[in-house]
Amino acid sequence: MKKAVLLILSFVLAFTLAACSGGSNTDVTGGVKIEKVSDMEGTVRVALAGWQLENGIDALTGNPVIGLNEYLDKTFKIMYPNIKLEVYQIPWENVKAKQSAMLLSGDADVLYTGGAFASQWYQDGLLRDLDDLIANDSSFDPGIYLEGIMNNSYSTKSPDGTKQFGIPAVLGRRMTIYDKKLFEDWGVEPLSAKPGPDEILEKAKKMTGKNPKTGEDNYGLFWSGNSLNGSTFVALTLAYGAKGAEGTLKDVKSIKWHLNSPEMVKVLEWLKEAAKLPPAGFVNAQGAENFGLEKNNIAIALDSTGGSTMSEYRSKQNKELLDRFEPVMNMGPDGEGWVAVDPFVMAKNAKDVEASWEVLKFLSGHMTQKYRYENFSSTPTLKNADFVTPEDKYVKKALEIAEVGHSELMDEANPFYMSDIAPAINGFISQAASGNAPDIQKFLDDLQSRAEKWSANLK
């Protein structure tokens, strides 16, 4: 008996050591034969926000995932055997502070980070323009990336849109998703392919209350009431043509604010009405934990991802849920909304620019995006993301929204938007949800006055 137990323990130990040591037999290249590309020499320090380096298990699906280290061993290190990589993994929780410090101290050459951070670092002079590298590299095709985020995003372009400082690597998902089952229960027509805010509000009101078939409490609508970037608010400003400001982030002192315009009043009137429909916890981004799953009780979710539904499909092949939760375009006139983009960027004083460019190019390219999608469900930024599975309609819809995306001054790259507008709007939503919404015109007049004073005080 003891011998049998020892044998079992030995097997488990051997299996565990094999797993911990990496070295899976997984094909991470999709059948592409990897060969040496260049004898280029150099050392590149890479700071990655949130990327997993070691092999492990996906927390949602329970499926094994291949860490970056094994991926690089089987790809980049064969292609560029004389480029030494020093890779630093940084948790998202404190990535801005740590990567800012690395840039200031000159301890990083290539970084993967949040789009808002990249935009701020560029304006602070900490990042390098990539235009000369792109122009001199015939192997790099900027046309493979979604045009809306390659050429029109503050996360990749300079504030005046003339310089390229980032290459989009991962796309955030912000789409409207509705529960077809609840629509059928209530006898409400499905959402159109590009539902605007009026259609969403009208149908959401019809599905708030006791479900006529199940008798359960239903909520017509959900969005995150404390979003740091106010993504739902951004989509509404696009839908109602409420620009909020005119000018450029290159010259923020000269921005002309229009925060108390009639169009902006419509945005807040919509938020005031809509705030009556979600679960009470929405002001703290709570209450939609079951959206996308069997026990869901919310008809329409704004700025949603489809992540829960796809995880269920991947782990249990639950096609019923996949058929039930349907994505449509965002609320802008062409179906656009706020598009989150996480780019790769290069430090202003990168030690070895040529080697750093090869690394940056590889980590934001097609092969790496395929690896990231297959292992971590990262949303690609490519026009031809041919590796996305046919069932993943959520990624496909996110790509459609990104393709028509564009940046306006109501954006997290705008410092007054982040410091004052987004928190003020979240405060308004919270008050509206409790039935104490302030006078809209007075609220906006005050915001306009604060914005004008902010600009006037800039040097």
Side-chain angles (χ1 to χ4, degrees):
M1 182 66 181
K2 288 183 177 177
K3 185 177 180 181
V5 171
L6 286 172
L7 282 172
I8 293 171
L9 290 174
S10 298
F11 173 79
V12 171
L13 178 60
F15 179 82
T16 303
L17 288 173
C20 291
S21 64
S24 74
N25 293 320
T26 303
D27 175 16
V28 296
T29 67
V32 176
K33 186 179 181 182
I34 302 300
E35 296 178 332
K36 186 167 75 174
V37 173
S38 169
D39 285 321
M40 179 185 295
E41 297 181 355
T43 297
V44 180
R45 301 158 301 172
V46 185
L48 300 170
W51 285 35
Q52 182 169 325
L53 302 186
E54 303 297 337
N55 295 354
I57 300 295
D58 184 278
L60 287 176
T61 64
N63 295 329
V65 293
I66 304 300
L68 181 67
N69 286 339
E70 178 173 335
Y71 171 70
L72 292 175
D73 286 343
K74 292 181 174 178
T75 56
F76 187 84
K77 292 182 180 178
I78 298 173
M79 298 163 69
Y80 298 89
N82 298 319
I83 294 181
K84 180 184 176 184
L85 293 177
E86 296 179 3
V87 179
Y88 305 98
Q89 180 197 40
I90 302 168
W92 273 109
E93 288 75 18
N94 51 10
V95 69
K96 184 182 180 185
K98 288 204 170 182
Q99 288 189 325
S100 295
M102 295 179 86
L103 284 169
L104 289 167
S105 60
D107 288 331
D109 302 306
V110 173
L111 303 93
Y112 168 81
T113 190
F117 307 151
S119 176
Q120 183 176 329
W121 291 330
Y122 182 78
Q123 293 179 67
D124 292 341
L126 296 173
L127 302 183
R128 187 190 192 283
D129 290 328
L130 303 177
D131 300 281
D132 59 328
L133 298 169
I134 293 172
N136 294 325
D137 187 348
S138 59
S139 71
F140 179 77
D141 180 9
I144 68 172
Y145 297 93
L146 294 164
E147 189 170 346
I149 56 175
M150 183 69 175
N151 298 324
N152 299 306
S153 171
Y154 287 130
S155 301
T156 56
K157 300 285 282 193
S158 60
D160 62 1
T162 63
K163 301 289 185 182
Q164 191 87 37
F165 67 82
I167 304 298
V170 176
L171 185 69
R173 299 187 212 173
R174 299 284 195 282
M175 69 194 87
T176 301
I177 298 178
Y178 69 98
D179 184 339
K180 290 164 69 175
K181 177 182 179 300
L182 293 192
F183 272 66
E184 290 170 5
D185 288 351
W186 286 86
V188 175
E189 282 290 314
L191 288 179
S192 61
K194 295 179 183 177
D198 294 341
E199 178 186 344
I200 287 172
L201 191 58
E202 177 193 346
K203 292 179 177 175
K205 285 180 177 177
K206 292 178 179 177
M207 293 179 282
T208 300
K210 293 286 183 185
N211 184 303
K213 286 195 173 179
T214 67
E216 296 178 346
D217 287 332
N218 280 179
Y219 300 92
L221 190 62
F222 180 86
W223 81 95
S224 176
N226 66 349
S227 169
L228 290 177
N229 50 48
S231 48
T232 298
F233 171 72
V234 172
L236 287 167
T237 62
L238 296 170
Y240 285 114
K243 286 185 172 295
E246 287 182 285
T248 169
L249 291 181
K250 189 179 181 182
D251 184 13
V252 291
K253 185 175 174 59
S254 299
I255 287 177
K256 293 184 177 179
W257 299 97
H258 304 294
L259 293 168
N260 55 352
S261 67
E263 292 81 10
M264 196 63 81
V265 170
K266 290 181 180 177
V267 171
L268 265 66
E269 286 175 341
W270 190 95
L271 288 171
K272 181 180 176 181
E273 282 298 302
K276 303 170 185 174
L277 306 179
F282 89 103
V283 295
N284 294 313
Q286 303 294 314
E289 290 76 12
N290 287 323
F291 188 79
L293 303 176
E294 187 175 352
K295 293 182 178 178
N296 172 57
N297 60 354
I298 295 170
I300 305 169
L302 305 178
D303 289 340
S304 196
T305 69
S308 299
T309 306
M310 274 308 295
S311 292
E312 282 289 295
Y313 178 75
R314 286 197 180 97
S315 59
K316 302 173 184 173
Q317 297 297 297
N318 191 337
K319 195 166 186 307
E320 186 177 333
L321 284 180
L322 204 60
D323 293 337
R324 177 175 162 180
F325 292 93
E326 189 67 22
V328 292
M329 298 292 277
N330 213 316
M331 293 190 288
D334 293 321
E336 71 269 50
W338 185 72
V339 177
V341 181
D342 292 340
F344 270 96
V345 295
M346 189 183 299
K348 180 78 172 180
N349 298 315
K351 282 190 174 180
D352 190 328
V353 172
E354 289 189 7
S356 295
W357 171 241
E358 294 300 327
V359 173
L360 190 158
K361 191 171 58 170
F362 176 80
L363 289 176
S364 57
H366 182 280
M367 185 184 294
T368 304
Q369 293 208 23
K370 177 176 181 292
Y371 151 74
R372 291 282 300 172
Y373 172 76
E374 291 177 345
N375 286 274
F376 303 102
S377 301
S378 297
T379 307
T381 60
L382 306 168
K383 287 180 181 175
N384 182 25
D386 50 0
F387 46 81
V388 173
T389 58
E391 297 82 8
D392 201 341
K393 56 186 179 183
Y394 306 109
V395 162
K396 292 175 183 173
K397 190 60 66 178
L399 296 177
E400 288 180 42
I401 293 170
E403 187 68 3
V404 296
H406 50 88
S407 291
E408 303 288 345
L409 285 174
M410 295 297 99
D411 188 284
E412 64 178 9
N414 179 342
F416 186 75
Y417 178 84
M418 283 299 284
S419 66
D420 286 66
I421 297 176
I425 295 299
N426 287 342
F428 177 89
I429 292 169
S430 178
Q431 289 177 283
S434 62
N436 298 307
D439 179 84
I440 290 176
Q441 191 62 60
K442 185 174 183 303
F443 173 86
L444 290 175
D445 288 344
D446 177 64
L447 194 58
Q448 172 75 13
S449 175
R450 287 161 53 194
E452 291 173 347
K453 289 178 182 174
W454 178 83
S455 291
N457 289 331
L458 292 173
K459 293 181 179 178

